[in-house]
Amino acid sequence: MNLVARLKQQLFRWRSDGTAPLRLGQRRIFIIPSRAGLLYAVALIVMLIGAINYNLALGHALVFLLAGLGIVGMIHTFRNLHGLVVTPGRSNPVFVGERAHFELRLDNDRPTPRLALELAAEEGLPVFAATEGRKGTRSSIPVTATHRGWLALPRVRLSTGYPLGLFTAWAYLQPSMRCLVYPQPIASPLPPALPTPVGGERTGDGGQEDFAGFRDRQPADSPRHVAWKASARHAGEGPLLIKQFAGGAQLQLSLDWQATEPGLSAETRLSILTGWVLAADTADACYGLRLPGYAIEPGSGEAHRQRCLEALALYQP
Amino acid sequence: MSTLVRDALPRHAAPWLFATALATTAPHALHQPPWLTALAGAMLLWAVWLWWKDVRLPGRWLLAIFVAVGCTGILIEFRTLFGRDAGVAMLVMFMTMKLLEVKSRRDAMVVVILGYFLLLTHYLYSQSIPTGLWLLATMWLITASLVRLHSGPTSQPRDTLRHAGVLCLQAIPFMLVLYLLFPRISGPLWGLPLDAHSGRTGLSDSMSPGSIAELVQSADIAFRVRFDGPLPPKQKLYWRGPVMEQFDGTTWNPYKGRGRAPQLTGLSPPVTYETTLEPHGQRWLLALDAPSSVPGDILLTGTLTATNREAINERQRFRLSANLDYRFNTSEDATVLRRNLTLPSGSNPRTRSLASQWQAGNSPEAILGKALTLFASEFTYTLRPPLLGRDGVDDFLFQSKRGFCEHYAAAFVVLMRSAGIPARVIGGYQGGEFNPLDGYLVVRQSDAHAWAEVWLDRLGWVRVDPTAAVSPSRIETGIADALDLGEPLPALVQWRADWVLTLRYRWEAINNAWNQNILGYDPQRQREFLSRLGMPEADWRSLATALGITCSLLVASLLMWTLYQRPQRDPVVRLWHQALRHLARRQVDCAPWETPLVVARRVREQCPELAEAFQPVVDAYLVARYGDNDQALTTLRDAVAQLR
């Protein structure tokens, strides 16, 4: 950590706040004049010179009233943050590339409203919030997810210019909140279904028995599934073709790390697996997930899907 | 709920900006050229129309053309882009044109700050109480626009106005402290533009027929006086202005030289008074005849005119004293006497022949008496005399015989000079109106007057007022009684019903207090105020310290209110705790963390006779706390009240 960063950390007390509700005290709130505030100050000085030059008694009074207004505005801006209670809320998992939303609850125990509160995660878009008197409000802070795994909420800047915009007051919040980020799904054809172990009227190779046609080969497809004969018919003109099958009944799939092409990077393979999980879930299949050293028994439903995605998100190759 | 913040101007903020622009520019229509008002109005209407129809704002090049046209117009009209009037015109134009390019909040801030700036420019034209009140209201409006710009999309107009009002009210203590303690600097910091003091009325330093009669039709206040002792009798209240010794046949002018120092012998104890002069753009003061002692920076000329170093362009206060009975220059320079005997050759032959008839064998006093008798016998006092020809005094004395003080004074002096008595015309004011409410004597332009002064052996210069011979009531009660009804006097001077007078006295007393204490708070008054506070020799450093301490105290008290305000508990919880305290008095022990239902059960076990009354409290509390019912709070309050 370089000196400037360390200094900033000392100065602004950047540290985790834990999960407990946090009440903003005066030591957490910083305030400086905004650009509009500086313009206002310059205007006041020019006005004062004018009032002196033309000996305008009421001009003096106006300038002094405006100066007083500036001071009062500063105190009110500070007050707009002071005593606000921030409670971390929840966040729903997202896929890489999507925007994660961290929910913060802002509670106002004062009878007067707090308006124009801006919340922004570092380098994120600001969101606007306001609370009525003695009410709370929820705010969800968007953060773009760039990596799979746990995404911690970056330091949040809670700022306000209300009521006059001549000063900006802000506080840094760092509640320990994290959001699970699933790998970015890559849409690719599902691997062939397994022979159904359960008996019944359906026997043999399950989903593979109803030939549904050909389609272009994707890099994720195993060479074993290439329809060589069909591809040979127009060799050199088009890509290799893959036979497609459609199962009439519930498919039983094993989404296996080994089934993805070994030459691809681990992240891409995880993305392919993620795409399979989503496709399998959409197809209402019964699917299991196999990663090196980790396996999830076949199953289906929302909880199963989440379990599989979580495993993919947190997998350490 | 949360939404994304945009820096774009919220649509509902625009009407506030239009109102700001209108309120700050409209009063300038009173004194700016009509084409500029029309241009500004058109710009404003255009901006409103574009907003109403939600049409895109005009491009930069179009605005640039408008700015160029506007600046050219101002340049042609005022011949400059700077100075008071041109500067204000530029600000008005920029304000309305800025509305046509307000896209973001930053643009809107420029409009608001320009609005505050324009407020100041109104004081260049008037600092009266109504202006002050109007500007206070406008300041509130502009502040509301500022609040609206920063309060986000959910705010309501009523809340915005209320917040702005609270902010303005809280700023007032700061204003008062700064107004009293901020080190005052007097006078301009640099040369004022030429038009800084335009539009002043008052006595001019020369007199030609009609000049005073015109002035008398104005009810404007010329000056106010407060005597240290009792008010002198009204017929002695001659306020001496310019002394006019030179006559070219139509116009009387003062002699420009300074003359030797006057010799004044007081025959009665001097009276002292403080006069507050309205700006009249001249150097001379209006001093009670005869001024005996004047402040150091005022010069008494040889003709006993109190003269300031610079033209009086601000309302100014002077402490002066006067001898009501006096001998002035009993020995006079021969050159001065000769000057006061000179008449343009060949003019007014009939007057001259009349005077030379009188001169034969009569003493100067007797000649004086003849002239005054002539005036008293056949002349009429009127503000609307007929026009006079080239030999004005002849026409007046022998034909029209109707005139105003300036005619009498001029004719009298011409008569005296023709008869060999040195004489001159004095311009000034006579009388005044005493306001019993604040003890000030108010002298208006309608009290403007001209009289004569003759030099007699052993007596020196003696005041003679020929108007008094024609119309004694002019001197004894005032001009309104001296004139017939229907003469063109200002209504203010003519209406003399009791209740009108009382109202007017009150209004003028308020205005005077405003002028003396608020507008007249200058470096000198500040020193007086501070010495009363126990800081007799306050320099800017001690002022800055006092200012710093007071402002810090104000900020600290506001901060205390912010920081140490106990978080107010929800009224529902407060009522519940009230109910629990009631239970504790009845020896039912409940821990604070126990849920309402547990408490209810405990009450049923430990104090069954209370259970019936307590159950509604529990029900109402649960609904009020966790339900969604506006009536629940009232129900709970009633239920808690039932417990006792």
Side-chain angles (χ1 to χ4, degrees):
Chain A
M1 192 187 298
N2 66 19
L3 190 68
V4 173
R6 201 175 313 184
L7 200 68
K8 272 188 170 175
Q9 195 167 33
Q10 277 291 308
L11 203 63
F12 295 124
R13 295 177 196 83
W14 288 347
R15 54 163 192 252
S16 178
D17 297 323
T19 49
L22 165 75
R23 178 181 284 269
L24 294 179
Q26 63 261 40
R27 298 190 59 189
R28 274 187 173 272
I29 302 170
F30 310 100
I31 186 162
I32 53 164
S34 63
R35 279 167 60 145
L38 294 177
L39 180 64
Y40 183 82
V42 171
L44 284 199
I45 291 169
V46 175
M47 283 164 79
L48 181 65
I49 292 172
I52 290 173
N53 204 36
Y54 283 89
N55 215 348
L56 301 176
L58 284 192
H60 279 86
L62 176 69
V63 173
F64 297 152
L65 187 61
L66 289 176
L69 188 69
I71 297 173
V72 171
M74 176 182 74
I75 293 171
H76 276 258
T77 306
F78 180 80
R79 184 180 134 85
N80 201 30
L81 291 188
H82 186 261
L84 194 67
V85 179
V86 184
T87 318
R90 39 172 298 160
S91 60
N92 293 318
V94 292
F95 293 95
V96 167
E98 287 184 347
R99 207 172 271 159
H101 285 91
F102 292 89
E103 191 182 276
L104 285 182
R105 197 183 155 75
L106 305 174
D107 281 297
N108 175 15
D109 54 16
R110 205 179 279 156
T112 48
R114 298 172 189 265
L115 300 176
L117 305 166
E118 263 184 53
L119 289 148
E122 260 175 4
E123 291 160 24
L125 283 170
V127 291
F128 170 87
T131 76
E132 289 175 48
R134 279 207 204 86
K135 290 261 170 68
T137 185
R138 277 171 220 285
S139 218
S140 52
I141 301 161
V143 178
T144 306
T146 49
H147 301 284
R148 69 180 178 91
W150 286 114
L151 170 68
L153 174 61
R155 183 174 51 243
V156 174
R157 187 172 183 272
L158 168 60
S159 63
T160 187
Y162 180 81
L164 298 180
L166 305 178
F167 287 86
T168 306
W170 77 97
Y172 289 115
L173 310 171
Q174 192 147 38
S176 51
M177 284 179 78
R178 53 184 196 171
C179 175
L180 191 59
V181 180
Y182 303 142
Q184 188 165 32
I186 292 178
S188 59
L190 285 167
L194 296 174
T196 317
V198 287
E201 64 267 43
R202 295 199 312 109
T203 51
D205 38 13
Q208 235 173 349
E209 65 186 349
D210 300 324
F211 175 68
F214 296 104
R215 62 164 177 78
D216 291 353
R217 180 184 180 255
Q218 306 284 322
D221 291 323
S222 162
R224 279 187 281 161
H225 298 141
V226 174
W228 295 109
K229 276 187 198 159
S231 303
R233 252 174 255 146
H234 37 139
E237 290 172 329
L240 294 175
L241 295 176
I242 298 274
K243 270 186 202 156
Q244 255 195 325
F245 302 94
Q250 196 185 28
L251 294 164
Q252 175 128 12
L253 298 170
S254 173
L255 310 176
D256 196 337
W257 172 269
Q258 302 298 337
T260 55
E261 194 157 332
L264 298 170
S265 74
E267 291 304 319
T268 315
R269 291 171 89 171
L270 286 170
S271 288
I272 290 166
L273 282 166
T274 307
W276 282 352
V277 168
L278 295 184
D281 185 66
T282 314
D284 204 15
C286 177
Y287 57 95
L289 178 67
R290 297 180 72 84
L291 294 167
Y294 187 78
I296 294 173
E297 288 306 306
S300 61
E302 180 59 25
H304 179 69
R305 170 179 168 271
Q306 278 184 18
R307 204 168 142 233
C308 294
L309 288 174
E310 191 181 315
L312 288 167
L314 299 176
Y315 175 70
Q316 303 286 333
Chain B
M1 274 310 295
S2 63
T3 46
L4 280 179
V5 173
R6 289 166 304 141
D7 197 43
L9 186 71
R11 184 169 162 78
H12 294 287
W16 291 95
L17 296 180
F18 298 146
T20 293
L22 184 65
T24 53
T25 55
H28 280 308
L30 291 176
H31 44 70
Q32 74 193 3
W35 68 264
L36 195 67
T37 307
L39 180 68
M43 292 287 155
L44 184 62
L45 283 177
W46 190 19
V48 173
W49 187 80
L50 290 179
W51 171 79
W52 186 256
K53 296 280 173 197
D54 213 358
V55 183
R56 265 191 57 195
L57 293 174
R60 287 196 171 276
W61 60 270
L62 195 58
L63 281 177
I65 290 174
F66 277 119
V67 170
V69 167
C71 287
T72 316
I74 288 169
L75 202 57
I76 293 168
E77 177 82 34
F78 299 100
R79 309 201 174 281
T80 172
L81 289 180
F82 303 101
R84 184 184 72 170
D85 290 337
V88 169
M90 294 284 281
L91 282 174
V92 166
M93 197 185 69
F94 283 144
M95 180 66 160
T96 48
M97 287 186 180
K98 184 72 197 170
L99 290 178
L100 289 170
E101 61 159 15
V102 174
K103 293 191 181 89
S104 66
R105 202 154 67 177
R106 197 185 303 170
D107 294 327
M109 281 304 284
V110 174
V111 170
V112 167
I113 289 174
L114 208 55
Y116 282 134
F117 205 103
L118 270 166
L119 277 191
L120 182 77
T121 60
H122 292 287
Y123 299 122
L124 290 168
Y125 300 95
S126 161
Q127 299 198 76
S128 65
I129 296 176
T131 325
L133 290 177
W134 160 253
L135 290 167
L136 215 57
T138 314
M139 151 117 191
W140 180 24
L141 174 70
I142 302 177
T143 308
S145 317
L146 194 54
V147 170
R148 182 63 193 80
L149 285 175
H150 294 98
S151 56
T154 55
S155 66
Q156 297 296 311
R158 251 186 62 190
D159 293 337
T160 303
L161 278 175
R162 199 173 49 80
H163 286 153
V166 166
L167 290 167
C168 288
L169 286 178
Q170 287 180 354
I172 285 177
F174 289 96
M175 177 191 77
L176 294 178
V177 167
L178 282 163
Y179 197 84
L180 291 174
L181 296 182
F182 188 86
R184 284 306 181 89
I185 302 161
S186 75
L189 300 174
W190 61 85
L192 290 177
L194 289 175
D195 58 358
H197 304 297
S198 61
R200 306 264 188 249
T201 60
L203 209 59
S204 84
D205 64 348
S206 67
M207 188 182 85
S208 50
S211 60
I212 292 184
E214 197 181 322
L215 190 61
V216 162
Q217 292 166 36
S218 155
D220 289 352
I221 288 167
F223 53 98
R224 291 179 168 93
V225 179
R226 182 152 64 180
F227 287 96
D228 288 356
L231 186 70
K234 194 154 192 176
Q235 61 270 23
K236 297 226 170 184
L237 294 177
Y238 280 85
W239 305 98
R240 191 183 181 96
V243 175
M244 290 162 277
E245 298 176 285
Q246 290 175 321
F247 182 50
D248 64 0
T250 48
T251 306
W252 293 83
N253 279 302
Y255 175 68
K256 295 296 177 205
R258 188 197 266 197
R260 71 179 169 97
Q263 289 167 331
L264 193 76
T265 319
L267 301 180
S268 58
V271 293
T272 52
Y273 60 95
E274 187 185 69
T275 174
T276 310
L277 225 59
E278 297 292 320
H280 57 48
Q282 307 281 358
R283 285 177 57 203
W284 31 261
L285 277 56
L286 292 145
L288 188 58
D289 212 8
S292 57
S293 85
V294 289
D297 49 349
I298 304 288
L299 175 83
L300 270 184
T301 63
T303 54
L304 219 54
T305 306
T307 311
N308 195 18
R309 272 182 218 285
E310 281 148 18
I312 294 164
N313 286 320
E314 307 287 336
R315 187 180 290 118
Q316 255 179 296
R317 265 184 298 260
F318 301 98
R319 275 200 75 79
L320 303 168
S321 64
N323 281 117
L324 298 177
D325 303 294
Y326 58 89
R327 291 267 185 277
F328 165 35
N329 276 5
T330 43
S331 65
E332 183 61 285
D333 284 352
T335 48
V336 176
L337 294 179
R338 213 176 306 125
R339 194 187 310 137
N340 286 293
L341 282 169
T342 314
L343 286 170
S345 56
S347 66
N348 298 315
R350 293 181 67 186
T351 309
R352 286 181 179 207
S353 68
L354 177 68
S356 45
Q357 281 171 33
W358 287 349
Q359 201 177 0
N362 278 318
S363 69
E365 284 85 348
I367 299 171
L368 259 166
K370 277 182 185 293
L372 293 178
T373 318
L374 172 71
F375 286 144
S377 57
E378 302 167 46
F379 284 76
T380 315
Y381 183 72
T382 174
L383 274 181
R384 286 182 290 194
L387 278 174
L388 303 174
R390 198 177 59 83
D391 289 323
V393 176
D394 274 8
D395 292 354
F396 170 68
L397 280 179
F398 301 103
Q399 285 169 20
S400 73
K401 304 195 177 186
R402 294 164 60 78
F404 190 56
C405 61
E406 55 202 4
H407 300 99
Y408 294 101
F412 182 79
V413 171
V414 171
L415 273 172
M416 288 304 114
R417 287 189 179 183
S418 310
I421 303 171
R424 57 199 185 190
V425 175
I426 318 284
Y429 295 81
Q430 203 282 321
E433 185 181 39
F434 183 69
N435 187 337
L437 292 176
D438 60 359
Y440 275 84
L441 181 84
V442 177
V443 181
R444 299 172 184 285
Q445 301 299 356
S446 57
D447 295 315
H449 193 49
W451 60 93
E453 209 172 39
V454 295
W455 191 84
L456 301 174
D457 209 15
R458 293 189 314 281
L459 293 177
W461 289 101
V462 176
R463 180 174 67 227
V464 182
D465 188 352
T467 311
V470 184
S471 172
S473 59
R474 164 69 186 86
I475 310 306
E476 277 149 26
T477 54
I479 187 150
D481 289 337
L483 291 170
D484 292 337
L485 281 174
E487 293 271 3
L489 269 186
L492 196 63
V493 179
Q494 252 174 343
W495 291 353
R496 307 188 70 83
D498 275 353
W499 65 273
V500 179
L501 262 190
T502 315
L503 268 185
R504 208 181 79 209
Y505 283 154
R506 186 152 299 149
W507 172 238
E508 281 172 1
I510 293 171
N511 257 318
N512 186 31
W514 171 260
N515 288 342
Q516 299 286 344
N517 302 321
I518 313 269
L519 304 186
Y521 191 79
D522 50 14
Q524 184 197 337
R525 282 271 157 125
Q526 190 174 40
R527 270 195 300 279
E528 286 167 20
F529 172 77
L530 291 171
S531 64
R532 247 181 292 152
L533 281 188
M535 294 166 62
E537 264 155 53
D539 56 352
W540 66 268
R541 205 171 300 157
S542 52
L543 273 181
T545 316
L547 197 59
I549 291 172
T550 341
C551 280
S552 311
L553 282 176
L554 282 176
V555 169
S557 50
L558 268 176
L559 273 176
M560 292 284 268
W561 159 74
T562 302
L563 300 184
Y564 296 101
Q565 199 178 37
R566 291 272 125 236
Q568 277 184 324
R569 238 190 267 141
D570 191 356
V572 175
V573 179
R574 216 162 52 224
L575 283 167
W576 173 247
H577 282 252
Q578 203 177 319
L580 289 185
R581 279 199 299 278
H582 190 77
L583 290 185
R585 277 200 295 278
R586 298 289 195 90
Q587 313 297 327
V588 183
D589 300 321
C590 308
W593 40 265
E594 279 181 319
T595 63
L597 294 176
V598 173
V599 172
R601 198 172 63 221
R602 195 179 292 277
V603 170
R604 277 198 300 278
E605 285 165 6
Q606 294 187 3
C607 189
E609 69 276 13
L610 193 63
E612 201 183 327
F614 192 69
Q615 191 56 43
V617 175
V618 173
D619 295 342
Y621 174 64
L622 290 177
V623 174
R625 187 78 202 277
Y626 304 104
D628 187 20
N629 184 349
D630 296 337
Q631 291 300 308
L633 183 62
T634 327
T635 319
L636 176 63
R637 194 170 288 133
D638 293 344
V640 172
Q642 289 293 316
L643 281 180
R644 50 198 79 219

